[in-house]
Amino acid sequence: MTQARSGRPAVDVTLEALRRGDLAPDDVRIHPETLEHQAQVAEAHANPQLAANLRRAAELTALPDDEVLSIYEALRPRRSSYDELGALADSLAERGASRNAALVREAAELYARRGLLR
Amino acid sequence: MTVGRFRFMDQQRVNLDGFAVEDASLGLVAFDSPNDPVPSLVVRDGRVVEMDGRAEGDFDAVDEFIARHGLDLVVADEVMALDDTAFARMVVSPDVPRSEVVRLTAGMTPAKLARVLATLRPAELVMAMTKARARRTPSNQAHVTNRSDDPLLLAADAATAAAFGFREIETTVPVLGDAPSNAIAVSVGAAVGSPGVLVQCSVEEALELEMGMRGLVSYAETVSLYGTEQIFVDGDDTPWSKAFLTSAYASRGIKMRVTSGGGAEALMGGAEGCSMFYLEARCVALARAIGSQGVQNGGIDSAAVAGAVPRGVRSLMAENLMVMLRNLEACTGNDALMSESDVRRTSRTHPIFIAGSDFVCSGFGSIQRYDNMFGPSQWNSEDIDDWLAMQRDWGVDGGLRTAAEPDVAALRRRAAEAVRDVYAHLGLGDLDDVWLEQAVDAAGSKDVPAADLMTPLSAARIVRDAGITMLDVASALDECGYDVEAQRLLDMLRARVEGDYLQTAAIFTEDMQVLSLVTDPNDYAGPGTGYVPSPERQREIDGIRQQRSVADFRDEQDAASDTRLRVVGAAETGSDPREVVVGVSAAAGRALWVALSGLTVNEILDELLAGLEEEGAVGRIVRINDTVDLGWIGLSAARLSGSGVAIGLQAKGTALITRRDLSPLQNLELYSVAPTVTRELYRQLGVNAARHAKGSTPEPTRNPYSDEAIEARYHTKVVSLVAIERSCVDASVGPEDLELDGGAR
């Protein structure tokens, strides 16, 4: 049974629960395991890149909205130094977001070569 | 001074369009620029070291991301070695399954795929697209915006778009700060119109993501990709920032697709001498590489740039096909207006319309052109009935359905009231009754002078400052008595938890089932396979509100019935040389009372008799019961006429003058275009008939010619009227003298 990030079963996201004041934002957020499941579905339908995206997404479910927005900003052209991207990657890796960390590291290398660092 | 024919041609709307001489140096070339690379792929130890003529040390950001993430190296050797024509045939042939073509395309470099698809001719593109799109069931997307970010009008128009069948609605803002207000108004309006309609608000990337996180929108599309590094960076992004953004949306359970489109780089002066199609091939390969489930392309904002060069329109469709072959959702342009000419814009869309697409338009402007804050669309609110008629003409599902006026009126009112009530409940603003009434009735924002431009801005500020989420909006709806709509918004939020709509090409049905590549895969494999509208959907497509049956026309005729014309007895042959018989058809004044011109049969008879009298002739009305043919009606009447001259008249208004010595197919004068014949012309026909009876040769009356599509307008009705005439014919009943009571002059 699909659960929200909060652990509430999706089927319990109901109007009655809303009326009781019982629904919090995390009750309508996707659970990382659901994203892993969807990644497997995408793989089975000939799209490993979509699967990889959904697995990066699973890692990002743990991050607060503000941080997700700030990482996006850091990856935009000429926003970050090589070291800042390295530190960002380390911090992501430490928190189990290894796929996103790898993406950031790869960006740092390419940005260095193509003049896209700050 | 040019000759008249060219002065006339120059005035036609197509000549407002710009047409460019091909110029590869500026990227003004659709396919095959001399600067496009020769396809190549070199893989060493599982690593791409050369792609499309460029060594890895020279890879720009776009190359790098595609090379590292976008290609299936297992099939790469096989597919790169495939002959272009051989692969093109696989793409087109219904005998090669979609899955096989998708498998091979995954290993194909951008230059290779571009070169293959450049060989497809238009009809082949149609066949390929029919097979290649991801979702079996086609769909469509609407733009819902207005000049004033008027939340009441947005809600009413979103409900209207949903009523017409759009399954995705895209809004945007003229004033950036209004965005959250627009997102809420459109989401509430869409929820009033139908369950399961996806809503996006296209704004700057970070703000759009933020609104998504708050649940204020249910999908995103404004994530632009470009085919060159320079333009990518000018757009303030890189493939890595876009890949991250793609994951960020998925991490909140939100559907998203990226946007690209041929001509964008040329328009921004950075095509690097490459063809539009090759650069788009890079965008689409990148879209797949970053893990986006879908792409909106087909020119989009630069569609007119592609449209300006030879084969540019063809390249727009080929771009869409490329997306499908990369196994992604295709939202196939037909978005920004690419021509002033109705003919050209229809021509641009039509092949995609008949092939079917995940979203035929990536923005059908369901509102007024002037209200479209993306700029006018290829298709706009004035075209909705055209689109519905085209669906019906071709038996094609273009994603729309007809909607009855009373239903739409009720939905518009409910949507506007729901937004008014929610805004009041959440303290976002007080929207008054005058404004509401105007918005409900409005065809566009010009009809809503009462709209207050500050309201959306302050509402949006409160939404952001107070951190209002879609849960709050759903609660407010529920507390204001809109529990059905609250449930619908909640269903969209629950869909994020379930995640099934993150799969390729997902839409929701009205009972909240996900249709996607996974649940509704396109299985076209030639005639007898693939998507066929369900009987219920076929009825929606066929049953446009304008269609009329014989019964409808009969009711219309019955409503005009009267008793002025009555039978006085069997008709005998007359002997008065001044007599002109007016022979009327079997149904005239019995089952049919109104001619195509809108004149009644009696009015026509009044004029004919008056014209005869003016010239000293004596009119006699005789009903000819044994034929529907006007020639025979006239000739039969002439044989009864004392002068040997007669007028024949069918109830629909077609009339002639004939004489007893002529054959049924001959006549002296004929009004063949019944809808355009006026009272004055009927009177003149009477006058002329009298002159013929006296043996003189009057100047013939002339049919009033028109450049309007008279036949399109009246032929359906003619078929019904003739059927009614035929039902009144009785060969066993002889001609009858009729008398026209009163009114006769």
Side-chain angles (χ1 to χ4, degrees):
Chain A
M1 184 189 292
T2 309
Q3 290 185 354
R5 184 165 173 272
S6 64
R8 177 188 289 273
V11 291
D12 290 348
V13 177
T14 62
L15 204 50
E16 291 65 38
L18 184 69
R19 282 174 184 155
R20 289 195 306 270
D22 210 13
L23 287 186
D26 259 11
D27 294 325
V28 291
R29 284 265 311 268
I30 195 164
H31 194 283
E33 285 172 14
T34 308
L35 284 161
E36 172 55 32
H37 165 70
Q38 295 295 346
Q40 289 168 21
V41 173
E43 254 169 357
H45 289 81
N47 197 334
Q49 288 84 2
L50 177 56
N53 169 44
L54 296 171
R55 290 191 170 111
R56 286 194 298 270
E59 293 178 353
L60 298 180
T61 57
L63 271 53
D65 292 353
D66 286 351
E67 188 177 1
V68 170
L69 285 164
S70 75
I71 297 172
Y72 169 58
E73 181 63 23
L75 282 169
R76 291 179 121 171
R78 303 192 182 100
R79 299 297 203 286
S80 305
S81 67
Y82 185 82
D83 289 345
E84 283 165 347
L85 289 176
L88 172 59
D90 290 345
S91 128
L92 286 165
E94 277 165 26
R95 287 177 289 163
S98 58
R99 292 182 171 90
N100 284 280
L103 187 82
V104 172
R105 287 205 183 93
E106 190 181 82
E109 296 304 324
L110 185 281
Y111 290 8
R113 182 161 68 76
R114 301 296 295 177
L116 297 175
L117 292 168
R118 182 164 57 83
Chain B
M1 184 77 174
T2 51
V3 295
R5 285 293 295 266
F6 275 74
R7 290 197 303 280
F8 176 72
M9 286 165 72
D10 286 346
Q11 288 164 9
Q12 304 310 310
R13 294 192 66 79
V14 68
N15 289 313
L16 293 167
D17 293 348
F19 294 93
V21 173
E22 264 190 356
D23 187 339
S25 68
L26 298 175
L28 286 174
V29 53
F31 296 106
D32 301 323
S33 167
N35 296 321
D36 289 351
V38 174
S40 70
L41 188 69
V42 180
V43 181
R44 201 165 293 144
D45 303 329
R47 180 181 172 86
V48 175
V49 297
E50 182 196 308
M51 184 177 76
D52 292 341
R54 204 175 268 175
E56 67 171 327
D58 299 326
F59 281 175
D60 68 12
V62 176
D63 297 317
E64 179 81 16
F65 205 101
I66 295 169
R68 300 300 158 235
H69 301 279
L71 300 176
D72 180 356
L73 301 183
V74 175
V75 295
D77 284 347
E78 177 189 352
V79 73
M80 292 302 288
L82 253 181
D83 172 65
D84 287 356
T85 306
F87 187 68
R89 282 167 168 265
M90 295 175 75
V91 169
V92 173
S93 170
D95 296 331
V96 180
R98 177 184 185 276
S99 58
E100 176 62 4
V101 181
V102 160
R103 183 184 74 84
L104 291 170
T105 307
M108 208 173 249
T109 66
K112 174 77 173 176
L113 188 55
R115 203 174 68 181
V116 169
L117 296 187
T119 67
L120 297 191
R121 284 167 290 194
E124 293 162 350
L125 289 171
V126 172
M127 286 302 294
M129 188 173 274
T130 304
K131 174 174 85 176
R133 77 165 180 274
R135 190 193 327 110
R136 194 169 190 265
T137 309
S139 186
N140 217 333
Q141 181 198 109
H143 288 165
V144 174
T145 63
N146 64 59
R147 298 178 308 166
S148 19
D149 289 333
D150 173 352
L152 297 179
L153 184 59
L154 285 169
D157 285 341
T160 303
F164 278 115
F166 293 102
R167 300 310 290 166
E168 277 190 356
I169 295 178
E170 177 180 27
T171 189
T172 192
V173 284
V175 177
L176 183 62
D178 293 346
S181 170
N182 285 26
I184 290 174
V186 171
S187 296
V188 169
V192 169
S194 165
V197 175
L198 291 159
V199 173
Q200 64 154 322
C201 182
S202 170
V203 286
E204 185 276 325
E205 268 87 345
L207 178 58
E208 189 164 336
L209 175 59
E210 191 190 317
M211 285 196 294
M213 288 170 158
R214 295 260 197 88
L216 301 179
V217 293
S218 42
Y219 80 107
E221 182 179 64
T222 312
V223 180
S224 302
L225 304 186
Y226 300 97
T228 67
E229 182 182 276
Q230 181 59 53
I231 301 299
F232 222 115
V233 172
D234 288 350
D236 204 17
D237 266 300
T238 74
W240 282 264
S241 65
K242 285 287 154 81
F244 183 81
L245 195 56
T246 305
S247 302
Y249 277 107
S251 76
R252 268 56 182 173
I254 307 166
K255 171 179 178 170
M256 70 83 80
R257 74 172 69 88
V258 296
T259 296
S260 56
E265 297 81 6
L267 190 60
M268 294 163 87
E272 300 175 2
C274 295
S275 71
M276 298 177 196
F277 195 57
Y278 166 64
L279 293 179
E280 185 57 21
R282 289 163 60 83
C283 293
V284 175
L286 183 62
R288 170 70 185 261
I290 68 174
S292 170
Q293 64 79 33
V295 179
Q296 162 189 232
N297 74 350
I300 313 302
D301 292 343
S302 46
V305 179
V309 300
R311 292 174 296 287
V313 165
R314 177 158 144 186
S315 75
L316 295 178
M317 182 173 183
E319 285 178 12
N320 302 142
L321 176 61
M322 190 144 50
V323 171
M324 297 171 178
L325 296 174
R326 292 269 184 213
N327 201 20
L328 303 176
E329 172 189 67
C331 198
T332 45
N334 297 304
D335 180 314
L337 183 61
M338 53 65 72
S339 175
E340 290 282 3
S341 154
D342 291 339
V343 176
R344 279 193 85 214
R345 69 186 174 92
T346 306
S347 154
R348 179 258 182 277
T349 299
H350 200 260
I352 297 167
F353 170 78
I354 58 173
S357 158
D358 295 323
F359 297 89
V360 181
C361 298
S362 59
F364 188 121
S366 71
I367 32 75
Q368 295 288 324
R369 286 185 183 215
Y370 68 73
D371 269 334
N372 197 325
M373 292 299 108
F374 296 101
S377 267
Q378 181 81 350
W379 299 87
N380 300 284
S381 59
E382 69 266 29
D383 304 315
I384 288 176
D385 281 328
D386 290 86
W387 191 273
L388 291 167
M390 281 162 48
Q391 289 188 156
R392 189 176 185 265
D393 291 342
W394 289 90
V396 151
D397 189 338
L400 267 58
R401 61 185 175 194
T402 199
E405 189 277 338
D407 297 343
V408 172
L411 290 174
R412 290 182 67 86
R413 178 165 298 281
R414 187 167 174 88
E417 286 176 355
V419 163
R420 179 195 59 188
D421 296 351
V422 163
Y423 275 43
H425 190 85
L426 293 173
L428 304 181
D430 292 318
L431 292 76
D432 67 39
D433 288 345
V434 176
W435 181 356
L436 183 128
E437 292 301 327
Q438 288 176 359
V440 169
D441 185 59
S445 64
K446 289 179 182 173
D447 304 327
V448 195
D452 171 33
L453 297 178
M454 289 309 291
T455 299
L457 198 57
S458 67
R461 190 177 305 124
I462 296 165
V463 170
R464 292 191 81 174
D465 293 350
I468 289 172
T469 70
M470 209 54 134
L471 279 175
D472 301 317
V473 176
S475 268
L477 270 173
D478 186 44
E479 283 168 36
C480 294
Y482 302 93
D483 53 326
V484 170
E485 289 79 3
Q487 181 69 59
R488 289 175 181 177
L489 287 187
L490 201 57
D491 286 345
M492 296 307 283
L493 293 172
R494 194 176 54 226
R496 301 174 164 223
V497 175
E498 288 162 350
D500 294 328
Y501 92 116
L502 299 175
Q503 296 296 337
T504 302
I507 54 171
F508 292 96
T509 63
E510 292 202 299
D511 50 4
M512 290 306 289
Q513 300 303 303
V514 171
L515 298 182
S516 69
L517 172 76
V518 174
T519 62
D520 184 37
N522 183 13
D523 56 357
Y524 181 79
T529 67
Y531 175 76
V532 178
S534 66
E536 186 191 357
R537 175 70 183 126
Q538 193 66 54
R539 276 194 295 278
E540 273 183 1
I541 290 169
D542 295 348
I544 61 172
R545 65 196 165 89
Q546 300 90 340
Q547 66 177 2
R548 296 285 179 274
S549 66
V550 177
D552 294 326
F553 289 122
R554 200 185 279 276
D555 290 347
E556 192 179 296
Q557 289 286 340
D558 287 349
S561 70
D562 76 59
T563 54
R564 275 184 66 202
L565 200 61
R566 52 187 185 81
V567 178
V568 292
E572 304 295 334
T573 305
S575 54
D576 183 346
R578 294 174 306 152
E579 181 185 78
V580 173
V581 169
V582 180
V584 299
S585 58
R590 185 153 64 127
L592 297 176
W593 286 272
V594 187
L596 294 173
S597 63
L599 294 172
T600 64
V601 170
N602 293 345
E603 286 167 339
I604 294 171
L605 289 171
D606 285 337
E607 295 299 336
L608 293 174
L609 294 175
L612 289 169
E613 190 182 323
E614 237 173 68
E615 283 293 310
V618 178
R620 172 163 66 114
I621 305 171
V622 174
R623 180 179 284 142
I624 309 298
N625 286 302
D626 61 352
T627 180
V628 295
D629 181 81
L630 182 63
W632 277 110
I633 292 169
L635 191 60
S636 303
R639 287 172 181 166
L640 296 170
S641 172
S643 66
V645 170
I647 294 171
L649 175 69
Q650 286 174 318
K652 65 187 171 73
T654 314
L656 55 65
I657 304 172
T658 190
R659 209 172 48 216
R660 72 159 68 108
D661 58 315
L662 300 179
S663 80
L665 289 177
Q666 291 178 306
N667 60 67
L668 297 169
E669 293 184 21
L670 171 68
Y671 287 153
S672 57
V673 191
T676 57
V677 185
T678 61
R679 272 177 177 271
E680 293 68 30
L681 286 165
Y682 284 117
R683 179 172 291 232
Q684 188 59 44
L685 196 73
V687 166
N688 283 8
R691 289 176 181 165
H692 281 294
K694 287 191 283 193
S696 62
T697 308
E699 183 187 328
T701 55
R702 307 237 175 234
N703 279 292
Y705 288 101
S706 157
D707 61 1
E708 293 171 335
I710 292 294
E711 296 185 348
R713 216 176 290 177
Y714 294 103
H715 268 182
T716 353
K717 203 167 183 175
V718 168
V719 170
S720 296
L721 299 189
V722 170
I724 294 170
E725 286 279 14
R726 201 169 284 284
S727 71
C728 292
V729 166
D730 185 344
S732 67
V733 180
E736 298 166 306
D737 277 330
L738 305 181
E739 208 163 78
L740 188 60
D741 291 339
R745 281 167 269 185

Short mmCIF file of all heavy atoms in Angstrom, two decimals, chain A residues 41-76:
data_model
loop_
_atom_site.label_atom_id
_atom_site.label_comp_id
_atom_site.label_asym_id
_atom_site.label_seq_id
_atom_site.Cartn_x
_atom_site.Cartn_y
_atom_site.Cartn_z
N VAL A 41 9.46 0.77 -12.40
CA VAL A 41 8.47 0.75 -13.48
C VAL A 41 9.04 1.42 -14.74
O VAL A 41 8.92 0.92 -15.85
CB VAL A 41 7.16 1.46 -13.05
CG1 VAL A 41 6.19 1.58 -14.23
CG2 VAL A 41 6.51 0.71 -11.89
N ALA A 42 9.70 2.56 -14.55
CA ALA A 42 10.29 3.27 -15.70
C ALA A 42 11.34 2.42 -16.38
O ALA A 42 11.42 2.36 -17.61
CB ALA A 42 10.88 4.59 -15.24
N GLU A 43 12.16 1.74 -15.59
CA GLU A 43 13.18 0.84 -16.16
C GLU A 43 12.54 -0.26 -16.98
O GLU A 43 13.01 -0.60 -18.06
CB GLU A 43 13.98 0.19 -15.02
CG GLU A 43 15.35 0.76 -14.88
CD GLU A 43 16.03 0.31 -13.58
OE1 GLU A 43 15.40 -0.39 -12.76
OE2 GLU A 43 17.20 0.70 -13.42
N ALA A 44 11.45 -0.78 -16.45
CA ALA A 44 10.76 -1.87 -17.16
C ALA A 44 10.07 -1.37 -18.42
O ALA A 44 9.65 -2.16 -19.27
CB ALA A 44 9.73 -2.50 -16.23
N HIS A 45 9.97 -0.06 -18.56
CA HIS A 45 9.37 0.52 -19.75
C HIS A 45 10.39 1.29 -20.57
O HIS A 45 10.09 2.31 -21.18
CB HIS A 45 8.15 1.38 -19.39
CG HIS A 45 6.99 0.55 -18.92
ND1 HIS A 45 6.90 0.07 -17.63
CD2 HIS A 45 5.92 0.08 -19.59
CE1 HIS A 45 5.78 -0.65 -17.52
NE2 HIS A 45 5.17 -0.67 -18.70
N ALA A 46 11.60 0.74 -20.58
CA ALA A 46 12.64 1.18 -21.51
C ALA A 46 13.06 2.63 -21.32
O ALA A 46 13.37 3.32 -22.28
CB ALA A 46 12.20 0.95 -22.96
N ASN A 47 13.06 3.09 -20.07
CA ASN A 47 13.56 4.44 -19.85
C ASN A 47 14.43 4.51 -18.59
O ASN A 47 14.00 5.00 -17.54
CB ASN A 47 12.42 5.46 -19.78
CG ASN A 47 12.93 6.87 -19.97
OD1 ASN A 47 14.10 7.16 -19.68
ND2 ASN A 47 12.07 7.75 -20.44
N PRO A 48 15.68 4.01 -18.70
CA PRO A 48 16.58 4.02 -17.53
C PRO A 48 16.91 5.44 -17.06
O PRO A 48 17.18 5.64 -15.88
CB PRO A 48 17.83 3.30 -18.03
CG PRO A 48 17.76 3.34 -19.53
CD PRO A 48 16.30 3.37 -19.88
N GLN A 49 16.86 6.40 -17.98
CA GLN A 49 17.16 7.78 -17.56
C GLN A 49 16.05 8.32 -16.67
O GLN A 49 16.32 9.04 -15.69
CB GLN A 49 17.34 8.68 -18.79
CG GLN A 49 18.63 8.42 -19.56
CD GLN A 49 18.54 7.27 -20.56
OE1 GLN A 49 17.48 6.64 -20.72
NE2 GLN A 49 19.64 6.97 -21.23
N LEU A 50 14.81 8.02 -17.00
CA LEU A 50 13.71 8.42 -16.13
C LEU A 50 13.85 7.74 -14.77
O LEU A 50 13.64 8.35 -13.72
CB LEU A 50 12.36 8.08 -16.78
CG LEU A 50 11.10 8.37 -15.97
CD1 LEU A 50 11.01 9.83 -15.54
CD2 LEU A 50 9.83 8.01 -16.78
N ALA A 51 14.26 6.49 -14.81
CA ALA A 51 14.48 5.77 -13.56
C ALA A 51 15.56 6.46 -12.72
O ALA A 51 15.40 6.65 -11.51
CB ALA A 51 14.87 4.32 -13.85
N ALA A 52 16.66 6.84 -13.38
CA ALA A 52 17.75 7.52 -12.65
C ALA A 52 17.25 8.82 -12.04
O ALA A 52 17.59 9.17 -10.89
CB ALA A 52 18.91 7.77 -13.59
N ASN A 53 16.45 9.53 -12.80
CA ASN A 53 15.88 10.79 -12.29
C ASN A 53 15.02 10.52 -11.05
O ASN A 53 15.13 11.22 -10.04
CB ASN A 53 15.05 11.45 -13.39
CG ASN A 53 14.21 12.60 -12.87
OD1 ASN A 53 14.68 13.42 -12.10
ND2 ASN A 53 12.95 12.63 -13.27
N LEU A 54 14.20 9.49 -11.12
CA LEU A 54 13.31 9.21 -10.00
C LEU A 54 14.12 8.77 -8.77
O LEU A 54 13.72 9.04 -7.62
CB LEU A 54 12.27 8.16 -10.40
CG LEU A 54 11.30 8.62 -11.52
CD1 LEU A 54 10.46 7.45 -12.02
CD2 LEU A 54 10.39 9.75 -11.04
N ARG A 55 15.26 8.14 -9.01
CA ARG A 55 16.11 7.74 -7.86
C ARG A 55 16.82 8.96 -7.26
O ARG A 55 16.99 9.05 -6.05
CB ARG A 55 17.10 6.66 -8.30
CG ARG A 55 16.40 5.34 -8.59
CD ARG A 55 17.34 4.17 -8.77
NE ARG A 55 16.55 2.94 -8.79
CZ ARG A 55 16.38 2.17 -9.88
NH1 ARG A 55 16.97 2.48 -11.02
NH2 ARG A 55 15.61 1.10 -9.81
N ARG A 56 17.24 9.89 -8.12
CA ARG A 56 17.78 11.14 -7.56
C ARG A 56 16.68 11.84 -6.75
O ARG A 56 16.93 12.39 -5.67
CB ARG A 56 18.26 12.07 -8.67
CG ARG A 56 19.57 11.65 -9.34
CD ARG A 56 20.18 12.77 -10.19
NE ARG A 56 19.35 13.22 -11.29
CZ ARG A 56 19.39 12.70 -12.53
NH1 ARG A 56 20.22 11.71 -12.81
NH2 ARG A 56 18.60 13.18 -13.46
N ALA A 57 15.48 11.80 -7.30
CA ALA A 57 14.34 12.44 -6.61
C ALA A 57 14.10 11.80 -5.26
O ALA A 57 13.81 12.49 -4.27
CB ALA A 57 13.09 12.35 -7.48
N ALA A 58 14.22 10.48 -5.20
CA ALA A 58 13.99 9.78 -3.92
C ALA A 58 14.94 10.34 -2.86
O ALA A 58 14.55 10.55 -1.70
CB ALA A 58 14.19 8.28 -4.11
N GLU A 59 16.17 10.59 -3.27
CA GLU A 59 17.13 11.16 -2.32
C GLU A 59 16.71 12.56 -1.87
O GLU A 59 16.89 12.94 -0.72
CB GLU A 59 18.53 11.26 -2.95
CG GLU A 59 19.16 9.90 -3.24
CD GLU A 59 20.52 10.04 -3.92
OE1 GLU A 59 20.92 11.18 -4.28
OE2 GLU A 59 21.19 9.01 -4.10
N LEU A 60 16.14 13.30 -2.79
CA LEU A 60 15.79 14.70 -2.48
C LEU A 60 14.55 14.83 -1.60
O LEU A 60 14.28 15.91 -1.08
CB LEU A 60 15.58 15.49 -3.77
CG LEU A 60 16.79 15.62 -4.70
CD1 LEU A 60 16.43 16.43 -5.95
CD2 LEU A 60 17.97 16.25 -3.98
N THR A 61 13.82 13.74 -1.44
CA THR A 61 12.63 13.84 -0.57
C THR A 61 13.05 14.20 0.85
O THR A 61 12.25 14.77 1.60
CB THR A 61 11.83 12.52 -0.52
OG1 THR A 61 12.70 11.48 -0.08
CG2 THR A 61 11.25 12.17 -1.89
N ALA A 62 14.28 13.87 1.22
CA ALA A 62 14.73 14.13 2.60
C ALA A 62 15.10 15.60 2.81
O ALA A 62 15.25 16.04 3.94
CB ALA A 62 15.94 13.25 2.90
N LEU A 63 15.27 16.33 1.71
CA LEU A 63 15.73 17.71 1.83
C LEU A 63 14.56 18.68 1.92
O LEU A 63 13.56 18.51 1.24
CB LEU A 63 16.60 18.08 0.61
CG LEU A 63 18.10 17.80 0.68
CD1 LEU A 63 18.38 16.35 1.05
CD2 LEU A 63 18.76 18.16 -0.65
N PRO A 64 14.71 19.70 2.77
CA PRO A 64 13.64 20.71 2.84
C PRO A 64 13.55 21.51 1.53
O PRO A 64 14.53 21.60 0.78
CB PRO A 64 14.05 21.61 4.00
CG PRO A 64 15.47 21.33 4.27
CD PRO A 64 15.79 19.97 3.74
N ASP A 65 12.38 22.08 1.30
CA ASP A 65 12.13 22.83 0.06
C ASP A 65 13.22 23.90 -0.18
O ASP A 65 13.73 24.04 -1.29
CB ASP A 65 10.76 23.53 0.12
CG ASP A 65 9.61 22.54 0.10
OD1 ASP A 65 9.86 21.32 -0.08
OD2 ASP A 65 8.45 22.98 0.26
N ASP A 66 13.52 24.65 0.85
CA ASP A 66 14.48 25.75 0.69
C ASP A 66 15.83 25.24 0.21
O ASP A 66 16.48 25.86 -0.62
CB ASP A 66 14.68 26.48 2.03
CG ASP A 66 13.48 27.33 2.36
OD1 ASP A 66 12.60 27.47 1.49
OD2 ASP A 66 13.43 27.84 3.50
N GLU A 67 16.23 24.09 0.75
CA GLU A 67 17.55 23.58 0.36
C GLU A 67 17.51 23.09 -1.09
O GLU A 67 18.47 23.29 -1.85
CB GLU A 67 18.01 22.46 1.29
CG GLU A 67 19.45 22.10 0.97
CD GLU A 67 20.06 21.04 1.87
OE1 GLU A 67 19.38 20.54 2.79
OE2 GLU A 67 21.24 20.71 1.63
N VAL A 68 16.41 22.47 -1.47
CA VAL A 68 16.30 22.02 -2.86
C VAL A 68 16.40 23.23 -3.80
O VAL A 68 17.13 23.20 -4.79
CB VAL A 68 14.96 21.27 -3.07
CG1 VAL A 68 14.72 21.02 -4.55
CG2 VAL A 68 14.98 19.95 -2.31
N LEU A 69 15.70 24.29 -3.44
CA LEU A 69 15.76 25.50 -4.27
C LEU A 69 17.18 26.07 -4.30
O LEU A 69 17.66 26.54 -5.34
CB LEU A 69 14.78 26.55 -3.74
CG LEU A 69 13.30 26.25 -4.04
CD1 LEU A 69 12.38 27.10 -3.15
CD2 LEU A 69 12.98 26.53 -5.51
N SER A 70 17.88 26.01 -3.17
CA SER A 70 19.22 26.60 -3.12
C SER A 70 20.23 25.75 -3.91
O SER A 70 21.16 26.28 -4.51
CB SER A 70 19.67 26.83 -1.68
OG SER A 70 20.02 25.60 -1.08
N ILE A 71 20.03 24.44 -3.92
CA ILE A 71 20.94 23.60 -4.72
C ILE A 71 20.72 23.88 -6.21
O ILE A 71 21.68 23.98 -6.99
CB ILE A 71 20.73 22.09 -4.42
CG1 ILE A 71 21.07 21.79 -2.97
CG2 ILE A 71 21.58 21.23 -5.36
CD1 ILE A 71 20.71 20.38 -2.52
N TYR A 72 19.46 24.01 -6.58
CA TYR A 72 19.19 24.37 -7.97
C TYR A 72 19.92 25.66 -8.33
O TYR A 72 20.60 25.76 -9.35
CB TYR A 72 17.68 24.50 -8.21
CG TYR A 72 17.34 25.12 -9.54
CD1 TYR A 72 17.79 24.51 -10.72
CD2 TYR A 72 16.61 26.29 -9.63
CE1 TYR A 72 17.50 25.09 -11.96
CE2 TYR A 72 16.32 26.87 -10.86
CZ TYR A 72 16.77 26.26 -12.02
OH TYR A 72 16.50 26.84 -13.23
N GLU A 73 19.81 26.64 -7.47
CA GLU A 73 20.45 27.93 -7.71
C GLU A 73 21.97 27.75 -7.82
O GLU A 73 22.61 28.32 -8.71
CB GLU A 73 20.08 28.89 -6.57
CG GLU A 73 20.64 30.28 -6.67
CD GLU A 73 20.15 31.06 -7.89
OE1 GLU A 73 19.08 30.72 -8.43
OE2 GLU A 73 20.86 32.01 -8.31
N ALA A 74 22.54 26.93 -6.96
CA ALA A 74 24.00 26.73 -6.95
C ALA A 74 24.48 26.09 -8.25
O ALA A 74 25.64 26.29 -8.66
CB ALA A 74 24.39 25.86 -5.76
N LEU A 75 23.60 25.31 -8.89
CA LEU A 75 24.01 24.62 -10.12
C LEU A 75 23.83 25.48 -11.37
O LEU A 75 24.26 25.11 -12.45
CB LEU A 75 23.20 23.32 -10.28
CG LEU A 75 23.67 22.15 -9.40
CD1 LEU A 75 22.66 21.02 -9.43
CD2 LEU A 75 25.05 21.65 -9.85
N ARG A 76 23.20 26.63 -11.21
CA ARG A 76 23.04 27.50 -12.38
C ARG A 76 24.42 28.07 -12.77
O ARG A 76 25.35 28.04 -11.97
CB ARG A 76 22.02 28.61 -12.07
CG ARG A 76 20.62 28.06 -11.92
CD ARG A 76 19.61 29.14 -11.59
NE ARG A 76 18.57 29.20 -12.61
CZ ARG A 76 17.45 29.92 -12.51
NH1 ARG A 76 17.23 30.67 -11.47
NH2 ARG A 76 16.56 29.90 -13.48
#
